[in-house]
Amino acid sequence: MRAADEAVEEVDAQGLDCPMPLLLAKRALNGLPSGACLRVLATDRGSQRDFRVFAEQSGHQLLAADECDGVYIYLLKKR
């Protein structure tokens, strides 16, 4: 999962419980320029709802949300 022709930063939040995956993602997004993409890896089931709601409330785009072998993978684009 990658944004076409764009560098993607990554946050590995596997093994961390709520709210840590989202907090780490917010911190990473704060350090990125507008339009940059962030991939987040998480194992917390609650992150599915958290990232969807976060994107809606923050204005960042949730470009993709997938699950593979218990790892939830999110791709966010900073507004």
Side-chain angles (χ1 to χ4, degrees), residues 9-32 38-42 51 54 76:
E9 294 289 324
E10 185 170 281
V11 168
D12 187 348
Q14 295 178 75
L16 301 176
D17 293 327
C18 179
M20 290 308 296
L22 190 56
L23 291 175
L24 292 175
K26 285 181 183 180
R27 180 186 294 166
L29 284 167
N30 285 340
L32 295 176
L38 176 70
R39 179 184 300 115
V40 182
L41 307 175
F51 278 90
F54 170 68
L76 295 158

Side-chain angles (χ1 to χ4, degrees), residues 53-74:
V53 170
F54 170 68
E56 290 170 3
Q57 292 179 349
S58 69
H60 301 304
Q61 274 187 287
L62 182 60
L63 299 176
D66 294 318
E67 184 271 333
C68 182
D69 296 327
V71 177
Y72 302 96
I73 306 162
Y74 306 100

